[in-house]
Every structure is written in structure tokens, then in C-alpha cells.
Amino acid sequence: TKDVATLTLEAAFDTGSTTATLRWEGYQGTCGGSVKFEVVPDGEMRTYTIAIGGAKGYEGMGTRFVLMPKTDGTEGRTVKVKRLVGVK
């Protein structure tokens, strides 16, 4: 993900919430950060573009990405991820 300004996430959110957070760690544990983004929580596969280039803690390379969906607490909520791709 060196010099990546945005990430493209293909995912289906059935969470009952309209937000999620993407966290990352920098190369060899340095820096790191997170960005919150809007989702459509209807369970349909969609493409989300997540801008990370200007996010606090982003220094041009990220590793160990973690998707943290927010839920409404209802049992059985799901997130299906097809892929996460870096885009310059």
C-alpha cells in the first residue's frame, strides 16, 4: 500500500449501523491510524472508496488492516468482505 491515497472495499454490511472504521498499522509497527466511513447496512454487496491519504497517522505505507463495523447490538449481524484494494 505504499503511497496509496484511497482504498477500495467491496463488502456487504448487515449491521444496523451506517458507519464502520478501518484501522491500520504502519510498516514494522510504526505509526498507524484509522478512518471512519459511511456504509449502507442492507446486506447488499457494494463498493466503498475510503480516503486514507490525508488521515492522521498515514505515512504512505500501511500493514495489518482491520475492519471494525459498528452494529446495533442485534444478534446475527454480519459483514461479508470480498476484497480490499489500494488505489494511488
Coordinates of all heavy atoms in Angstrom, one line a residue:
T1 N 0.8 -1.2 0.0 CA 0.0 0.0 0.0 C 0.8 1.3 0.0 O 0.4 2.3 0.4 CB -0.9 0.0 1.2 OG1 -0.1 0.0 2.4 CG2 -2.0 -1.1 1.2
K2 N 2.1 1.2 -0.4 CA 3.0 2.3 -0.4 C 2.4 3.4 -1.3 O 2.0 3.2 -2.4 CB 4.3 2.0 -0.9 CG 5.3 3.1 -0.8 CD 6.7 2.6 -1.1 CE 7.7 3.8 -0.9 NZ 9.0 3.4 -1.3
D3 N 2.3 4.7 -0.8 CA 1.8 5.8 -1.5 C 0.4 5.7 -1.9 O 0.0 6.3 -2.9 CB 2.7 6.1 -2.7 CG 4.1 6.4 -2.3 OD1 4.3 7.0 -1.2 OD2 5.1 6.0 -3.0
V4 N -0.4 4.9 -1.2 CA -1.8 4.8 -1.6 C -2.6 5.9 -1.0 O -2.4 6.3 0.2 CB -2.4 3.4 -1.0 CG1 -3.9 3.4 -1.2 CG2 -1.7 2.3 -1.8
A5 N -3.5 6.5 -1.8 CA -4.3 7.6 -1.3 C -5.7 7.2 -0.9 O -6.3 7.7 0.0 CB -4.4 8.7 -2.3
T6 N -6.2 6.1 -1.5 CA -7.5 5.6 -1.2 C -7.5 4.1 -1.2 O -6.6 3.5 -1.9 CB -8.6 6.1 -2.2 OG1 -8.3 5.6 -3.5 CG2 -8.7 7.6 -2.2
L7 N -8.4 3.5 -0.6 CA -8.6 2.0 -0.6 C -10.0 1.8 -1.1 O -11.0 2.6 -0.9 CB -8.5 1.4 0.8 CG -7.2 1.5 1.5 CD1 -7.3 1.0 2.9 CD2 -6.1 0.7 0.7
T8 N -10.2 0.7 -1.9 CA -11.5 0.3 -2.4 C -11.9 -1.0 -1.7 O -11.1 -1.9 -1.7 CB -11.5 0.1 -3.9 OG1 -11.1 1.3 -4.6 CG2 -12.8 -0.4 -4.4
L9 N -13.0 -0.9 -1.0 CA -13.5 -2.1 -0.2 C -14.8 -2.6 -0.9 O -15.7 -1.8 -1.1 CB -13.8 -1.6 1.2 CG -14.6 -2.6 2.1 CD1 -13.7 -3.8 2.4 CD2 -15.0 -2.0 3.4
E10 N -14.8 -3.8 -1.2 CA -16.1 -4.5 -1.7 C -16.6 -5.3 -0.6 O -16.0 -6.3 -0.1 CB -15.8 -5.3 -2.9 CG -15.5 -4.5 -4.2 CD -15.3 -5.4 -5.4 OE1 -16.2 -6.2 -5.6 OE2 -14.3 -5.2 -6.1
A11 N -17.8 -4.9 0.0 CA -18.3 -5.6 1.2 C -19.8 -5.4 1.3 O -20.4 -4.5 0.7 CB -17.6 -5.0 2.4
A12 N -20.4 -6.3 2.0 CA -21.8 -6.3 2.3 C -22.0 -6.1 3.8 O -21.6 -7.0 4.6 CB -22.5 -7.5 1.8
F13 N -22.6 -5.0 4.2 CA -22.8 -4.8 5.7 C -24.3 -5.0 6.0 O -25.2 -4.4 5.5 CB -22.5 -3.3 6.0 CG -21.0 -3.0 5.9 CD1 -20.4 -2.7 4.7 CD2 -20.2 -3.0 7.1 CE1 -19.0 -2.4 4.6 CE2 -18.9 -2.7 7.0 CZ -18.3 -2.4 5.8
D14 N -24.5 -5.9 7.0 CA -25.8 -6.1 7.6 C -25.6 -5.9 9.1 O -25.5 -6.8 9.9 CB -26.4 -7.5 7.3 CG -27.7 -7.7 8.0 OD1 -28.3 -6.8 8.4 OD2 -28.1 -8.9 8.1
T15 N -25.4 -4.6 9.4 CA -25.0 -4.2 10.8 C -26.0 -3.4 11.5 O -25.9 -3.3 12.7 CB -23.7 -3.4 10.7 OG1 -23.9 -2.3 9.9 CG2 -22.6 -4.3 10.1
G16 N -27.0 -2.8 10.9 CA -27.9 -2.0 11.6 C -27.4 -0.6 11.9 O -28.0 0.2 12.5
S17 N -26.1 -0.3 11.4 CA -25.5 1.0 11.6 C -24.9 1.5 10.3 O -24.5 0.7 9.4 CB -24.3 0.8 12.6 OG -23.6 2.0 12.8
T18 N -24.9 2.8 10.2 CA -24.4 3.4 8.9 C -23.0 3.8 8.9 O -22.5 4.5 8.0 CB -25.3 4.6 8.6 OG1 -25.2 5.6 9.6 CG2 -26.7 4.2 8.4
T19 N -22.2 3.3 9.9 CA -20.8 3.7 9.9 C -19.9 2.4 10.2 O -20.4 1.5 10.8 CB -20.4 4.7 10.9 OG1 -20.8 4.3 12.2 CG2 -21.1 6.1 10.6
A20 N -18.7 2.5 9.8 CA -17.7 1.5 10.1 C -16.3 2.2 10.2 O -16.2 3.3 9.8 CB -17.6 0.4 9.1
T21 N -15.3 1.5 10.8 CA -14.0 2.1 10.9 C -13.0 1.2 10.3 O -13.1 0.0 10.5 CB -13.7 2.4 12.4 OG1 -14.6 3.3 13.0 CG2 -12.3 3.0 12.6
L22 N -12.0 1.7 9.6 CA -10.9 1.0 9.1 C -9.7 1.4 9.8 O -9.3 2.6 9.8 CB -10.7 1.2 7.6 CG -9.6 0.4 6.9 CD1 -10.0 -1.1 6.9 CD2 -9.3 0.9 5.6
R23 N -9.0 0.5 10.5 CA -7.7 0.8 11.2 C -6.6 0.1 10.5 O -6.7 -0.9 9.8 CB -7.8 0.3 12.7 CG -8.9 0.9 13.5 CD -8.9 0.3 14.9 NE -7.6 0.4 15.6 CZ -7.1 1.5 16.2 NH1 -7.9 2.6 16.3 NH2 -5.9 1.5 16.7
W24 N -5.4 0.7 10.7 CA -4.2 0.1 10.1 C -3.0 0.4 11.0 O -3.0 1.3 11.8 CB -3.9 0.6 8.7 CG -3.6 2.1 8.7 CD1 -2.3 2.7 8.8 CD2 -4.4 3.2 8.6 NE1 -2.4 4.0 8.8 CE2 -3.7 4.4 8.6 CE3 -5.8 3.3 8.4 CZ2 -4.3 5.6 8.6 CZ3 -6.4 4.6 8.4 CH2 -5.6 5.7 8.4
E25 N -2.0 -0.4 10.8 CA -0.7 -0.2 11.4 C 0.3 0.1 10.4 O 0.2 -0.4 9.2 CB -0.3 -1.5 12.1 CG 1.0 -1.5 12.9 CD 1.2 -2.8 13.6 OE1 0.5 -3.1 14.6 OE2 2.1 -3.5 13.2
G26 N 1.3 1.0 10.7 CA 2.3 1.3 9.7 C 3.4 0.2 9.6 O 3.4 -0.8 10.4
Y27 N 4.2 0.3 8.6 CA 5.3 -0.6 8.4 C 6.1 -0.9 9.6 O 6.5 0.1 10.3 CB 6.1 -0.1 7.2 CG 7.2 -1.1 6.8 CD1 7.0 -2.3 6.2 CD2 8.6 -0.7 7.0 CE1 8.0 -3.2 5.9 CE2 9.6 -1.6 6.7 CZ 9.3 -2.8 6.1 OH 10.3 -3.7 5.7
Q28 N 6.3 -2.1 10.0 CA 7.1 -2.6 11.2 C 6.6 -1.9 12.5 O 7.3 -1.6 13.3 CB 8.6 -2.3 11.0 CG 9.2 -3.1 9.8 CD 10.7 -2.9 9.7 OE1 11.2 -1.9 10.1 NE2 11.3 -3.9 9.0
G29 N 5.3 -1.7 12.5 CA 4.7 -1.3 13.8 C 4.7 0.2 14.0 O 4.3 0.7 15.0
T30 N 5.3 1.0 13.0 CA 5.4 2.4 13.2 C 4.0 3.1 12.8 O 3.3 2.6 12.0 CB 6.5 3.0 12.3 OG1 6.1 2.7 10.9 CG2 7.8 2.5 12.7
C31 N 3.8 4.2 13.4 CA 2.5 5.0 13.2 C 1.3 4.1 13.2 O 1.2 3.1 13.9 CB 2.7 5.9 12.0 SG 2.9 5.0 10.4
G32 N 0.4 4.5 12.3 CA -0.9 3.8 12.2 C -2.0 4.8 12.5 O -1.8 5.9 12.9
G33 N -3.2 4.4 12.2 CA -4.4 5.3 12.4 C -5.7 4.6 12.0 O -5.7 3.4 11.9
S34 N -6.7 5.4 11.8 CA -8.0 4.9 11.5 C -8.8 6.0 10.8 O -8.5 7.2 10.9 CB -8.7 4.4 12.7 OG -9.0 5.5 13.6
V35 N -9.8 5.5 10.0 CA -10.8 6.4 9.4 C -12.1 5.8 9.5 O -12.3 4.6 9.4 CB -10.5 6.7 7.9 CG1 -9.2 7.5 7.7 CG2 -10.4 5.4 7.1
K36 N -13.1 6.6 9.8 CA -14.5 6.2 9.9 C -15.1 6.5 8.5 O -14.8 7.5 7.9 CB -15.2 7.0 11.0 CG -16.7 6.5 11.2 CD -17.4 7.4 12.2 CE -17.1 7.0 13.6 NZ -17.9 7.6 14.6
F37 N -16.0 5.6 8.0 CA -16.6 5.9 6.8 C -18.1 5.4 6.8 O -18.5 4.6 7.7 CB -15.9 5.2 5.6 CG -15.8 3.7 5.7 CD1 -16.6 2.9 5.0 CD2 -14.8 3.1 6.5 CE1 -16.5 1.5 5.1 CE2 -14.7 1.7 6.7 CZ -15.6 0.9 5.9
E38 N -18.9 5.9 5.9 CA -20.3 5.6 5.8 C -20.5 4.3 5.1 O -19.8 4.0 4.1 CB -21.1 6.7 5.1 CG -21.0 8.1 5.9 CD -21.7 8.0 7.2 OE1 -22.9 7.5 7.2 OE2 -21.2 8.6 8.2
V39 N -21.5 3.5 5.5 CA -21.9 2.3 4.8 C -23.4 2.2 4.7 O -24.1 2.9 5.4 CB -21.4 1.0 5.6 CG1 -19.9 1.0 5.7 CG2 -22.0 0.9 7.0
V40 N -23.8 1.4 3.8 CA -25.3 1.1 3.6 C -25.5 -0.3 4.3 O -25.0 -1.3 3.8 CB -25.7 1.1 2.2 CG1 -27.2 0.8 2.0 CG2 -25.3 2.4 1.5
P41 N -26.2 -0.3 5.4 CA -26.3 -1.6 6.2 C -27.5 -2.5 5.7 O -28.2 -3.1 6.5 CB -26.6 -1.1 7.6 CG -27.4 0.2 7.4 CD -26.8 0.8 6.1
D42 N -27.6 -2.7 4.4 CA -28.7 -3.5 3.9 C -28.3 -5.0 3.5 O -29.1 -5.7 3.0 CB -29.4 -2.8 2.7 CG -28.4 -2.6 1.5 OD1 -27.3 -3.0 1.6 OD2 -28.9 -2.0 0.5
G43 N -27.1 -5.3 3.7 CA -26.6 -6.7 3.4 C -26.3 -6.9 1.9 O -25.9 -8.0 1.5
E44 N -26.4 -5.8 1.1 CA -26.0 -5.9 -0.4 C -24.6 -5.6 -0.6 O -24.0 -4.7 0.0 CB -26.9 -5.0 -1.2 CG -28.4 -5.2 -1.1 CD -28.7 -6.6 -1.8 OE1 -28.2 -6.9 -2.8 OE2 -29.6 -7.3 -1.2
M45 N -23.9 -6.4 -1.5 CA -22.5 -6.1 -1.8 C -22.4 -4.8 -2.5 O -23.1 -4.5 -3.5 CB -22.0 -7.3 -2.7 CG -20.5 -7.3 -2.9 SD -19.5 -7.5 -1.4 CE -19.9 -9.2 -1.0
R46 N -21.5 -3.9 -2.0 CA -21.3 -2.6 -2.5 C -19.8 -2.3 -2.6 O -19.0 -2.9 -1.9 CB -22.0 -1.5 -1.7 CG -23.5 -1.7 -1.6 CD -24.1 -0.6 -0.7 NE -25.5 -0.8 -0.6 CZ -26.5 -0.5 -1.4 NH1 -26.1 0.1 -2.5 NH2 -27.7 -0.7 -1.2
T47 N -19.4 -1.3 -3.3 CA -18.1 -0.8 -3.4 C -18.0 0.5 -2.6 O -18.7 1.4 -2.9 CB -17.6 -0.6 -4.8 OG1 -17.7 -1.9 -5.5 CG2 -16.2 -0.1 -4.9
Y48 N -17.0 0.6 -1.7 CA -16.8 1.7 -0.9 C -15.4 2.3 -1.2 O -14.4 1.5 -1.2 CB -16.9 1.4 0.6 CG -18.3 0.9 1.0 CD1 -18.6 -0.4 1.0 CD2 -19.3 1.8 1.3 CE1 -19.8 -0.9 1.4 CE2 -20.5 1.4 1.7 CZ -20.8 0.0 1.7 OH -22.1 -0.4 2.0
T49 N -15.3 3.6 -1.4 CA -14.0 4.2 -1.6 C -13.6 4.9 -0.3 O -14.4 5.8 0.2 CB -14.0 5.2 -2.7 OG1 -14.4 4.5 -3.9 CG2 -12.6 5.8 -2.9
I50 N -12.5 4.5 0.3 CA -12.1 5.1 1.6 C -10.8 5.9 1.5 O -9.8 5.3 1.1 CB -11.9 3.9 2.6 CG1 -13.1 3.0 2.7 CG2 -11.6 4.5 4.0 CD1 -12.9 1.7 3.3
A51 N -10.9 7.2 1.7 CA -9.7 8.0 1.6 C -8.9 7.9 2.9 O -9.4 8.2 3.9 CB -10.2 9.5 1.4
I52 N -7.6 7.5 2.7 CA -6.7 7.4 3.8 C -5.5 8.3 3.7 O -4.8 8.5 4.6 CB -6.3 6.0 4.1 CG1 -5.5 5.4 2.9 CG2 -7.5 5.1 4.4 CD1 -4.8 4.1 3.2
G53 N -5.3 8.9 2.5 CA -4.1 9.7 2.2 C -3.9 10.8 3.2 O -2.8 11.2 3.6
G54 N -5.0 11.5 3.6 CA -4.9 12.6 4.5 C -5.2 12.3 5.9 O -5.2 13.2 6.8
A55 N -5.4 11.0 6.2 CA -5.7 10.6 7.6 C -4.5 10.8 8.6 O -3.4 10.5 8.2 CB -6.3 9.2 7.6
K56 N -4.8 11.1 9.8 CA -3.8 11.2 10.8 C -3.1 9.8 11.0 O -3.8 8.8 11.1 CB -4.4 11.7 12.1 CG -3.4 11.9 13.2 CD -4.0 12.4 14.5 CE -3.0 12.6 15.6 NZ -3.5 13.1 16.8
G57 N -1.8 9.8 11.0 CA -1.1 8.5 11.2 C -0.8 7.8 9.9 O -0.1 6.8 9.9
Y58 N -1.3 8.3 8.7 CA -1.0 7.6 7.5 C 0.3 8.2 6.9 O 0.4 9.4 6.7 CB -2.1 7.8 6.5 CG -1.8 7.1 5.1 CD1 -1.8 5.7 5.0 CD2 -1.4 7.9 4.0 CE1 -1.5 5.1 3.8 CE2 -1.1 7.2 2.8 CZ -1.1 5.9 2.7 OH -0.8 5.3 1.6
E59 N 1.3 7.4 6.6 CA 2.6 7.9 6.2 C 3.0 7.2 4.9 O 4.2 7.0 4.6 CB 3.7 7.7 7.2 CG 3.4 8.5 8.5 CD 4.4 8.4 9.5 OE1 5.4 7.6 9.4 OE2 4.3 9.0 10.6
G60 N 2.1 6.7 4.1 CA 2.4 6.2 2.8 C 2.5 4.7 2.7 O 2.6 4.1 1.6
M61 N 2.5 4.0 3.8 CA 2.5 2.6 3.8 C 1.8 2.0 5.0 O 2.0 2.5 6.1 CB 4.0 2.0 3.8 CG 4.0 0.5 3.7 SD 5.7 -0.1 3.6 CE 6.1 0.3 1.9
G62 N 0.9 1.1 4.8 CA 0.2 0.5 5.9 C 0.2 -1.0 5.8 O 0.2 -1.6 4.7
T63 N 0.1 -1.6 6.9 CA 0.0 -3.1 7.0 C -1.0 -3.4 8.1 O -1.5 -2.5 8.8 CB 1.4 -3.7 7.4 OG1 1.7 -3.2 8.7 CG2 2.5 -3.4 6.4
R64 N -1.4 -4.6 8.1 CA -2.4 -5.1 9.2 C -3.6 -4.2 9.2 O -3.9 -3.6 10.2 CB -1.7 -5.1 10.5 CG -2.3 -6.2 11.4 CD -1.6 -6.3 12.7 NE -0.3 -6.8 12.4 CZ 0.6 -7.1 13.4 NH1 0.3 -6.9 14.6 NH2 1.8 -7.6 13.0
F65 N -4.4 -4.3 8.2 CA -5.6 -3.5 8.1 C -6.7 -4.3 8.9 O -6.8 -5.5 8.8 CB -6.1 -3.3 6.7 CG -5.2 -2.3 6.0 CD1 -4.0 -2.7 5.3 CD2 -5.5 -1.0 5.9 CE1 -3.2 -1.8 4.7 CE2 -4.7 -0.1 5.3 CZ -3.6 -0.5 4.7
V66 N -7.5 -3.6 9.7 CA -8.6 -4.2 10.4 C -9.9 -3.4 10.2 O -10.0 -2.2 10.4 CB -8.3 -4.1 12.0 CG1 -9.4 -4.7 12.8 CG2 -7.0 -4.9 12.2
L67 N -10.9 -4.1 9.8 CA -12.2 -3.5 9.5 C -13.1 -3.7 10.8 O -13.2 -4.8 11.3 CB -13.0 -4.2 8.4 CG -14.3 -3.7 8.0 CD1 -14.3 -2.2 7.6 CD2 -14.9 -4.5 6.9
M68 N -13.6 -2.6 11.4 CA -14.3 -2.6 12.6 C -15.7 -2.0 12.4 O -15.9 -0.8 12.5 CB -13.6 -1.7 13.7 CG -12.1 -2.2 13.9 SD -11.2 -1.1 15.0 CE -12.1 -1.2 16.5
P69 N -16.6 -2.9 12.0 CA -18.0 -2.5 11.8 C -18.7 -2.1 13.1 O -18.4 -2.7 14.2 CB -18.7 -3.7 11.2 CG -17.9 -4.8 11.6 CD -16.5 -4.4 11.8
K70 N -19.6 -1.1 13.1 CA -20.4 -0.7 14.2 C -21.7 -1.4 14.0 O -22.2 -1.5 12.9 CB -20.6 0.8 14.3 CG -21.3 1.3 15.4 CD -21.4 2.8 15.4 CE -22.3 3.2 16.6 NZ -22.5 4.7 16.6
T71 N -22.2 -2.1 15.1 CA -23.5 -2.7 15.0 C -24.5 -2.1 15.9 O -24.2 -1.4 16.8 CB -23.4 -4.3 15.2 OG1 -23.1 -4.4 16.6 CG2 -22.3 -4.9 14.4
D72 N -25.8 -2.5 15.7 CA -26.8 -2.1 16.6 C -27.1 -3.0 17.8 O -28.0 -2.9 18.6 CB -28.1 -1.9 15.9 CG -28.7 -3.1 15.2 OD1 -28.1 -4.2 15.5 OD2 -29.7 -3.0 14.5
G73 N -26.2 -4.0 17.9 CA -26.3 -5.0 19.0 C -27.2 -6.2 18.8 O -27.3 -7.1 19.6
T74 N -27.9 -6.2 17.6 CA -28.8 -7.3 17.3 C -28.0 -8.5 17.0 O -27.0 -8.5 16.2 CB -29.7 -6.9 16.2 OG1 -30.5 -5.8 16.5 CG2 -30.7 -8.1 15.9
E75 N -28.3 -9.7 17.6 CA -27.6 -10.9 17.3 C -27.8 -11.3 15.8 O -28.8 -11.1 15.2 CB -28.2 -12.1 18.2 CG -27.3 -13.3 18.1 CD -27.8 -14.4 19.1 OE1 -28.3 -14.0 20.2 OE2 -27.7 -15.6 18.8
G76 N -26.7 -11.9 15.2 CA -26.8 -12.4 13.8 C -26.4 -11.4 12.8 O -26.4 -11.7 11.6
R77 N -26.0 -10.2 13.2 CA -25.5 -9.2 12.2 C -24.2 -9.7 11.5 O -23.4 -10.4 12.1 CB -25.2 -7.8 12.9 CG -26.5 -7.2 13.4 CD -27.4 -6.8 12.3 NE -28.5 -5.9 12.8 CZ -29.4 -5.5 12.0 NH1 -29.6 -5.9 10.8 NH2 -30.3 -4.7 12.5
T78 N -24.0 -9.3 10.3 CA -22.9 -9.8 9.5 C -22.2 -8.8 8.6 O -22.9 -7.8 8.3 CB -23.2 -11.0 8.6 OG1 -24.2 -10.5 7.6 CG2 -23.8 -12.2 9.3
V79 N -21.0 -9.0 8.3 CA -20.2 -8.2 7.3 C -19.5 -9.3 6.4 O -18.8 -10.1 6.9 CB -19.2 -7.3 7.9 CG1 -18.4 -6.6 6.8 CG2 -19.9 -6.3 8.8
K80 N -19.7 -9.2 5.1 CA -19.0 -10.1 4.1 C -18.1 -9.2 3.3 O -18.6 -8.2 2.7 CB -20.0 -10.8 3.3 CG -21.0 -11.7 4.0 CD -22.0 -12.3 3.1 CE -23.0 -13.2 3.9 NZ -24.0 -13.7 3.1
V81 N -16.8 -9.5 3.3 CA -15.8 -8.8 2.6 C -15.4 -9.6 1.4 O -14.9 -10.7 1.5 CB -14.6 -8.4 3.5 CG1 -13.6 -7.7 2.7 CG2 -15.1 -7.5 4.6
K82 N -15.5 -9.0 0.2 CA -15.0 -9.6 -1.0 C -13.5 -9.3 -1.2 O -12.7 -10.1 -1.5 CB -15.8 -9.2 -2.2 CG -15.5 -9.9 -3.5 CD -16.5 -9.5 -4.6 CE -16.1 -10.2 -5.9 NZ -17.1 -9.9 -6.9
R83 N -13.2 -8.0 -1.1 CA -11.8 -7.6 -1.3 C -11.5 -6.2 -0.8 O -12.4 -5.4 -0.7 CB -11.3 -7.8 -2.7 CG -11.9 -6.9 -3.7 CD -11.4 -7.2 -5.1 NE -12.1 -6.4 -6.1 CZ -11.8 -6.3 -7.3 NH1 -10.7 -6.9 -7.7 NH2 -12.5 -5.7 -8.2
L84 N -10.3 -5.9 -0.5 CA -9.8 -4.6 -0.1 C -8.6 -4.3 -1.0 O -7.6 -5.1 -1.0 CB -9.4 -4.5 1.4 CG -8.8 -3.2 1.9 CD1 -9.9 -2.1 1.9 CD2 -8.3 -3.4 3.3
V85 N -8.6 -3.2 -1.8 CA -7.6 -3.0 -2.8 C -7.1 -1.5 -2.6 O -7.9 -0.6 -2.4 CB -8.1 -3.1 -4.2 CG1 -7.1 -2.8 -5.2 CG2 -8.7 -4.5 -4.4
G86 N -5.8 -1.3 -2.7 CA -5.2 0.0 -2.6 C -5.2 0.7 -4.0 O -5.0 0.0 -5.0
V87 N -5.5 2.0 -4.0 CA -5.5 2.7 -5.3 C -4.7 4.0 -5.1 O -4.8 4.7 -4.1 CB -7.0 3.1 -5.6 CG1 -7.0 3.9 -6.9 CG2 -7.8 1.9 -5.7
K88 N -3.8 4.3 -6.0 CA -3.0 5.5 -6.0 C -3.8 6.7 -6.4 O -4.7 6.6 -7.2 CB -1.8 5.4 -6.8 CG -0.7 4.5 -6.2 CD 0.6 4.6 -7.0 CE 1.6 3.8 -6.3 NZ 2.9 4.0 -6.9

